[in-house]
Amino acid sequence: MTQEELFKKLIAHSKEYGFIFPSSEIYDGLSAVYDYGQLGVELKNNIKKYWWDAMTKLNDNIVGIDAAIFMHPRTWEASGHVGAFNDPLIDNRDSKKRYRADVLIEDYIAKQDDKIEKEVEKAAKRFGESFDEALFRETNPRIAEVRATREAIHGRMVKALGDNDLEELRQIILDAGIVCPISGTRNWTEVRQFNLMFETKMGSVAEGANTIYLRPETAQGIFVNFLNVQKTGRMKIPFGIAQIGKAFRNEIVARQFIFRMRDFEQMEMQFFVRPGEEMGWFEHWRETRMRWHRAMGFGDSHYRFHDHDKLAHYANAATDVEYEFPFGFKEVEGIHSRTDFDLGNHQKFSGKKIQYFDTETGESYVPYVVETSIGVDRTVLQVLSASYKEEALEGGETRVVMAIPPAIAPVKVAVLPLVKKDGLPEVARRIMNDLKFDHNVQYDEKDSIGKRYRRQDAIGTPLCVTVDHQSLEDGTVTVRYRDTMAQSRVSIAELPALVENEVSLKKLLEKVNG
RNA sequence: GCGGAAGUAGCUCAGUUGGUAGAGCAUUAGCCUUCCAAGCUAAGGGUCGCGAGUUCGAACCUCGUCUUCCGCUCCA
């Protein structure tokens, strides 16, 4: 089975058993939007709890918040999203490649600069001058010409970007004779602008409604609440604020199942530190977050770091945790050292002082931030794709089993009467009622016992408890383990402790704690 | 967004030269009682992705459209 086939099977399996459905499917679905079904929501909630506990319980200096999706529009000016998320894009029809129009022009300008430099060097050599002398003499008509067009193009680009004039941007590309680096042709489409933020209106139209955005990341809800939490929680630096919530991006290309959705969920933690100490904390969180992933037990070789060479406007260090999906290594989580960019900008845009008085140093400063930002849906996909297994059994049979870590499995225990008579269902119901306060438990009496085991395997239930006639006599039941298919006989009284031991989050959290 | 492929029951698919749909599995009910799925009986379930057009007649031909999958790009 190829990885591609595996991925297709996984998607089909996810739908068939109620993990994930296409959104509004009866209306043909909505592109890149998915719904979580009855099992998917349990899995997702368990993953969120795993993260939340790893942040807020394991660290006494991390607290959580839950900010609104709507925020004041100025937030997104301060964060840079209004600017950075509005890229003018152009396609080359021959190579089918898409470029940022301004980047194409900038590359062109850089090339012209190289050309000028070369010509100047040549002139300097010929006339026995220094580079600077040749540069400023400007009698070489070739240099003057190249420089004039370079300046003209540059000037037009700056103006076009400022005016948001997309037609002019395209005209600049045509006038400069810029060709596609791949196809070498000038067969360009129109320049289009994609605003990655979803807009909506707040207030009635009559009142003069304001455009507001659905947040494209949850982080800003933390930054704008920095002082609220720091002061009311009497937090001392270093400390962190964690948040889980939905974010929305109008992706141009959104595909690969739930890997890139337009409506997605993030788990973000912003850790506030003393300026100058950010790199140590960056390393700390880089390692801690990798431990969190690896603790799930999918195999360390399926993870790697991808350190960024090219940094975003707000960062001075950045790395990704990548997981090896069926479609290759892809980013699941980002760890960024964001400096004081966010808090500093909010201070600037709001006019409110956002500073921390450090009693140790006696200084007042804008804290630096180290961020961990993980996609919930990507983690769900990571768990699903790591867990899906088709096993060959003796006798040429196969079984599909979801080897989901027990602590995050949607259903923890299935209670099964061997037959649905002779009082076995009643005993099974009693066991279920005893366990249901602590765990998600399923009851099933339909079909043969083997078939019921397979059904539970397919949804990743780690434990099956089977009630048989012997149970009536001595109060014992069979516990059947998903991964090994092994069985053991235990007394009903021992069940709560046994189940707790098998499915407890504590084991995972201990590994994260290091 | 551009190019390629696909869309018939919950799933996997069949459906002849155009004559208005079928199988297996699954589901539900009953019987049977068996610790690793596919015993027996019965039932439910499809305006063939959607909309036009051609035709006496369209799942099938034509056009459009939507969705999904595969490449290009970005990102949590």
Side-chain angles (χ1 to χ4, degrees), chain A residues 377-485:
Chain A
D377 313 281
R378 289 181 177 192
T379 308
V380 170
L381 186 58
Q382 173 190 333
V383 171
L384 288 175
S385 53
S387 301
Y388 183 88
K389 293 193 171 80
E390 289 182 13
E391 285 184 356
L393 302 178
E394 296 146 33
E397 290 188 339
T398 60
R399 70 160 181 163
V400 173
V401 55
M402 296 292 284
I404 302 171
I408 56 176
V411 179
K412 307 298 189 202
V413 186
V415 186
L416 319 167
L418 189 60
V419 295
K420 56 178 170 188
K421 60 176 189 180
D422 304 333
L424 301 190
E426 289 74 5
V427 176
R429 290 276 182 197
R430 274 204 297 278
I431 292 172
M432 190 174 82
N433 285 333
D434 192 32
L435 292 173
K436 73 180 181 186
F437 296 97
D438 296 309
H439 307 287
N440 193 18
V441 186
Q442 266 194 6
Y443 173 84
D444 192 4
E445 59 177 26
K446 172 86 178 159
D447 297 312
S448 76
I449 190 69
K451 192 165 192 168
R452 281 178 275 168
Y453 285 154
R454 297 297 170 81
R455 269 207 284 267
Q456 295 301 327
D457 289 340
I459 65 170
T461 308
L463 298 169
C464 290
V465 170
T466 304
V467 177
D468 58 16
H469 291 89
Q470 193 187 329
S471 309
L472 301 175
E473 292 161 19
D474 63 6
T476 64
V477 290
T478 304
V479 174
R480 181 263 193 186
Y481 295 84
R482 176 194 68 199
D483 298 337
T484 58
M485 297 169 74

Side-chain angles (χ1 to χ4, degrees), chain A residues 252-399:
Chain A
I252 309 153
V253 174
R255 237 189 275 135
Q256 261 149 349
F257 198 34
I258 57 169
F259 185 78
R260 185 177 307 128
M261 297 198 287
R262 296 205 161 96
D263 170 331
F264 62 105
E265 199 160 7
Q266 292 182 308
M267 304 190 282
E268 296 198 309
M269 193 278 293
Q270 311 291 331
F271 201 72
F272 301 95
V273 305
R274 207 175 272 164
E277 295 183 358
E278 70 273 14
M279 292 319 285
W281 285 109
F282 176 74
E283 281 306 316
H284 168 83
W285 284 111
R286 192 175 181 269
E287 298 309 316
T288 306
R289 292 307 305 150
M290 186 57 105
R291 277 204 305 278
W292 185 89
H293 286 276
R294 289 183 167 164
M296 287 189 278
F298 301 139
D300 291 359
S301 64
H302 293 296
Y303 296 93
R304 71 180 187 197
F305 285 114
H306 173 238
D307 295 322
H308 292 208
D309 302 325
K310 214 174 138 191
L311 294 167
H313 58 282
Y314 52 75
N316 69 355
T319 192
D320 298 334
V321 175
E322 294 190 337
Y323 176 74
E324 190 175 17
F325 288 96
F327 42 87
F329 273 100
K330 296 281 178 184
E331 178 184 0
V332 181
E333 173 157 8
I335 295 126
H336 308 119
S337 174
R338 294 178 75 126
T339 70
D340 60 355
F341 175 85
D342 301 278
L343 290 182
N345 265 9
H346 283 306
Q347 182 169 257
K348 211 185 298 170
F349 277 74
S350 69
K352 306 279 192 314
K353 192 172 164 190
I354 305 179
Q355 298 202 348
Y356 173 81
F357 180 71
D358 196 322
T359 49
E360 265 184 58
T361 61
E363 285 175 84
S364 203
Y365 53 80
V366 177
Y368 269 40
V369 170
V370 175
E371 161 191 84
T372 74
S373 174
I374 173 170
V376 178
D377 313 281
R378 289 181 177 192
T379 308
V380 170
L381 186 58
Q382 173 190 333
V383 171
L384 288 175
S385 53
S387 301
Y388 183 88
K389 293 193 171 80
E390 289 182 13
E391 285 184 356
L393 302 178
E394 296 146 33
E397 290 188 339
T398 60
R399 70 160 181 163

